[in-house]
Amino acid sequence: MGRHKQPEIRDRILDACVDHALAHGLPGRLEPFAAASGTSARMLIYHFGTRDALLRETLRRARRRQRDFFGELVAPRPDEPYPSTLRRAWRVMTGPAGRPYLTMFGRLREDAEQRLWPDFRRESTTDWLRPFEEGMRSIGRPELATLVLAVVRGLFMDIETTGDVARADRAFEDFLAALVLLTGTQARDAHGES
């Protein structure tokens, strides 16, 4: 009688692979994932079937983590004007905690073949519309969610291409100032000042 796969072991391995991929990128071979998860390449194949299946699951789990993390950051707060929420979210998303996600998924967006996640480009756009719509709804302008998403995604790509975070930060501050004028809301800076 063969061994039964244990989902908790598979989950632990997958989490270790995600942690490794966020820190170092997706590996070309299984050995880095095996070392990161404390197992062997053979056991990775046992649990995931193929290298590409493991890479796909790693990307999907990382994306779920990103959506949860960034989604919480951009969620509207009753005690905070939404442009202030966006400012705080931007700083975290482009800071040390958020950059690994931007790097990983920026590379995936650039993959011309999209072999690991064929529909990634569409999904990576549409999955952010709803959180931004909810935020913009809090200031009465849900239709501006596409504009917010376009600016955020464009500046993320700019950072990944040029590495010029300071310039992107200035552009995002300019965007927030325009958003405040457009929506008639107030924004507070990091010190709570309007």
Side-chain angles (χ1 to χ4, degrees):
M1 182 158 166
R3 285 179 73 175
H4 293 289
K5 291 183 181 175
Q6 297 172 312
E8 64 279 356
I9 292 174
R10 186 179 190 280
D11 246 18
R12 180 188 55 76
I13 290 170
L14 186 56
D15 279 334
C17 291
V18 170
D19 292 343
H20 178 84
L22 286 169
H24 306 286
L26 290 174
R29 300 179 358 253
L30 288 176
E31 287 73 15
F33 273 173
S37 61
T39 191
S40 66
R42 185 179 66 76
M43 288 308 292
L44 292 176
I45 296 300
Y46 171 77
H47 284 286
F48 297 95
T50 66
R51 176 188 157 274
D52 280 359
L54 172 58
L55 292 175
R56 272 192 289 281
E57 289 206 42
T58 299
L59 287 168
R60 289 188 189 284
R61 172 87 43 109
R63 186 68 176 172
R64 188 174 334 126
R65 281 189 196 177
Q66 182 194 28
R67 279 194 311 263
D68 292 347
F69 178 41
F70 285 16
E72 177 63 29
L73 291 171
V74 302
R77 288 156 175 72
D79 60 335
E80 181 176 64
Y82 196 63
S84 299
T85 301
L86 289 173
R87 175 181 288 118
R88 186 177 33 72
W90 174 261
R91 289 176 180 158
V92 174
M93 291 185 293
T94 60
R99 283 298 296 278
Y101 295 103
L102 302 183
T103 300
M104 174 184 277
F105 293 112
R107 288 180 188 145
L108 186 62
R109 238 188 332 275
E110 292 170 5
D111 177 9
E113 295 175 22
Q114 296 286 305
R115 64 181 176 75
L116 291 174
W117 196 335
D119 206 21
F120 178 75
R121 286 186 182 128
R122 185 188 62 76
E123 286 181 42
S124 68
T125 299
T126 59
D127 63 2
W128 289 111
L129 273 176
R130 200 177 94 215
F132 283 127
E133 282 174 356
E134 289 172 15
M136 294 305 294
R137 185 172 286 109
S138 74
I139 56 175
R141 299 296 304 269
E143 75 279 5
L144 294 178
T146 298
L147 174 62
V148 173
L149 176 62
V151 169
V152 168
R153 283 179 45 99
L155 289 174
F156 283 168
M157 286 185 226
D158 189 292
I159 289 170
E160 284 305 305
T161 302
T162 68
D164 193 344
V165 177
R167 187 174 54 78
D169 285 347
R170 286 190 304 274
F172 193 72
E173 284 298 324
D174 290 343
F175 169 69
L176 288 179
L179 190 63
V180 165
L181 290 174
L182 185 63
T183 62
T185 59
Q186 290 293 313
R188 293 189 300 257
D189 65 17
H191 306 291
E193 299 171 3
S194 292

